[in-house]
Amino acid sequence: MKLLEERIRRDGEVREEGAVLKLDSFLNHQMDVELFNEMGKEFFRLFGDEGVTKLLTIEASGIGIACIAGQYFNVPVLFAKKSRSKNIDPDVYSAPVVSFTHGGVNEVMVSKRFLERGDRVLLIDDFLANGAALDGLISIVEQAGATVVGAGVCVEKAFQSGGVRLRGRGVRVEALARIAAMNETGIQFC
Amino acid sequence: MKLLEERIRRDGEVREEGAVLKLDSFLNHQMDVELFNEMGKEFFRLFGDEGVTKLLTIEASGIGIACIAGQYFNVPVLFAKKSRSKNIDPDVYSAPVVSFTHGGVNEVMVSKRFLERGDRVLLIDDFLANGAALDGLISIVEQAGATVVGAGVCVEKAFQSGGVRLRGRGVRVEALARIAAMNETGIQFC
């Protein structure tokens, strides 16, 4: 998606010798809702004929994009929670997820009430790197006996292993921008 | 807002002897984007002439509503983060926030790059109870020398102290549904 690639080139910052791409001015801290709208529209163009019944993302930075995309799909949007709280059911599907940007492992969870056997679930997230978050979400959907129709991610770091591994498992992964390589002097897209 | 009150009456569950209101089927776990759209429109009706330059919320459950509302205000949407990560600036405004639903204290933070002295900031959140989250966000906006134009919350538990205290401080708080009392047999709105 040209619009996203141009924005990444303009506003992205590569840090830690090419390991970290900071997009916090428009994607995962400050959010450009107009851009989100274009991305949501594109996810719908890609997955709109898949009979999607639910969007599933993971807190926190996937939520905004998933909600905006949800306007096109016209289905409920669900986010996996990273911690137990008083206002979530005790009865949950859960999976461990290692965080690339925070370090540490979160047990992510979704209330069993909101995923059913017949659901056709599209996963949405801002970044795909090692694929740990998507692995966790896929596990949760499978525990419910529902179907993963695919994963729509905004930015894939294609030089990390997640995309290859997930596609190898048969998951349809669509990334709106795929980064082949990056360092402090520039970003190359696939 | 009638639509929200009706939805709370229909789908809300009161737990822990009237202390907890579970709205996880449409507000803060599974999200009804169509309802969010109506709420976003209402926030714009209430605050649309305030010259708002930025919406500020707090992760995680405020993000969806803030993004949808952002479509009406046509300004960037910012969310305060609850933990440091590799993709946030080290240079942040921060404030401690006690969580009512999780217990414990989070240091919430916003990168200094995204709040400026001239900003007119509308705070958005799903729940107002003791007001701890809004206190934290107000502190962050004040640290930046920016102006809080008000707070738009979906549900205020008006029998808890946050709303009274914040309005007493001169903050314009608008809640789309205000709960006067609740227990396992019913919910009364103000």
Side-chain angles (χ1 to χ4, degrees):
Chain A
M1 189 183 171
K2 265 279 160 286
L3 187 70
L4 180 59
E5 290 183 4
E6 283 165 10
R7 191 63 178 272
I8 292 169
R9 237 188 259 284
R10 196 185 81 190
D11 293 335
E13 291 173 47
V14 179
R15 297 277 175 89
E16 301 195 17
E17 299 179 348
V20 171
L21 176 60
K22 243 168 105 282
L23 302 178
D24 63 346
S25 66
F26 63 93
L27 187 67
N28 49 21
H29 183 25
Q30 181 167 256
M31 298 174 288
D32 180 337
V33 175
E34 203 174 323
L35 175 66
F36 281 22
N37 226 310
E38 294 303 317
M39 295 196 292
K41 206 181 292 178
E42 181 67 6
F43 286 136
F44 186 70
R45 191 185 67 78
L46 292 163
F47 292 102
D49 58 356
E50 288 283 358
V52 172
T53 62
K54 210 152 267 187
L55 303 188
L56 175 62
T57 188
I58 186 167
E59 68 174 51
S61 35
I63 297 174
I65 299 145
C67 279
I68 300 288
Q71 295 180 313
Y72 292 95
F73 287 89
N74 207 12
V75 298
V77 178
L78 189 57
F79 69 89
K81 300 215 173 195
K82 286 184 180 163
S83 62
R84 225 166 254 285
S85 74
K86 288 182 188 174
N87 51 22
I88 188 170
D89 279 316
D91 209 16
V92 297
Y93 301 113
S94 71
V97 171
V98 180
S99 169
F100 178 70
T101 41
H102 288 81
V105 178
N106 286 301
E107 193 71 19
V108 304
M109 59 200 92
V110 170
S111 170
K112 289 188 178 177
R113 289 195 298 151
F114 304 131
L115 280 176
E116 291 174 0
R117 186 163 285 279
D119 272 323
R120 294 180 57 78
V121 182
L122 175 62
L123 311 177
I124 297 282
D125 209 0
D126 57 338
F127 264 101
L128 168 56
N130 294 319
L134 290 180
D135 284 337
L137 295 180
I138 291 168
S139 163
I140 282 171
V141 175
E142 287 175 346
Q143 288 169 49
T147 303
V148 174
V149 304
V153 299
C154 302
V155 183
E156 178 182 352
K157 291 153 92 178
F159 54 89
Q160 286 184 255
S161 63
V164 169
R165 188 171 42 72
L166 287 162
R167 292 183 184 98
R169 282 177 62 184
V171 179
R172 179 180 169 198
V173 179
E174 300 280 0
L176 304 187
R178 302 186 70 225
I179 295 172
M182 62 184 197
N183 59 35
E184 270 79 353
T185 61
I187 297 169
Q188 282 180 300
F189 294 96
C190 294
Chain B
M1 188 182 173
K2 265 279 161 282
L3 187 70
L4 179 60
E5 289 183 3
E6 283 165 9
R7 191 63 177 271
I8 292 169
R9 236 187 259 282
R10 196 185 82 189
D11 293 335
E13 291 172 47
V14 179
R15 298 278 176 89
E16 301 195 17
E17 299 178 349
V20 171
L21 176 61
K22 245 169 104 276
L23 302 179
D24 62 346
S25 66
F26 65 92
L27 187 67
N28 50 19
H29 183 26
Q30 182 168 257
M31 298 174 288
D32 180 337
V33 175
E34 205 175 320
L35 175 66
F36 281 22
N37 226 309
E38 294 304 317
M39 296 196 292
K41 207 182 291 177
E42 181 66 7
F43 286 137
F44 186 69
R45 191 185 66 79
L46 291 163
F47 292 103
D49 57 357
E50 288 283 357
V52 172
T53 62
K54 208 153 269 186
L55 302 188
L56 174 62
T57 186
I58 185 167
E59 68 174 50
S61 36
I63 297 175
I65 299 144
C67 279
I68 300 289
Q71 296 181 312
Y72 292 95
F73 286 89
N74 207 13
V75 299
V77 178
L78 189 57
F79 69 90
K81 300 215 174 197
K82 286 184 180 163
S83 62
R84 226 166 252 286
S85 74
K86 287 182 187 174
N87 49 23
I88 189 171
D89 279 316
D91 209 15
V92 296
Y93 301 114
S94 71
V97 171
V98 180
S99 170
F100 178 71
T101 42
H102 288 80
V105 178
N106 287 300
E107 192 71 19
V108 305
M109 59 199 93
V110 169
S111 170
K112 290 189 177 176
R113 290 196 298 149
F114 303 132
L115 280 178
E116 291 173 2
R117 185 162 287 278
D119 272 322
R120 294 180 57 78
V121 181
L122 175 62
L123 311 177
I124 297 282
D125 210 359
D126 57 339
F127 264 100
L128 167 58
N130 294 318
L134 290 181
D135 284 337
L137 295 181
I138 291 168
S139 163
I140 282 171
V141 175
E142 287 175 346
Q143 288 170 48
T147 303
V148 174
V149 303
V153 300
C154 303
V155 184
E156 177 182 354
K157 291 154 90 179
F159 55 91
Q160 287 184 255
S161 62
V164 169
R165 189 171 41 72
L166 286 162
R167 291 182 183 99
R169 282 178 62 184
V171 179
R172 178 178 170 199
V173 179
E174 300 280 1
L176 305 188
R178 301 186 70 225
I179 296 173
M182 62 185 196
N183 59 34
E184 270 78 354
T185 61
I187 296 168
Q188 282 180 300
F189 293 97
C190 294

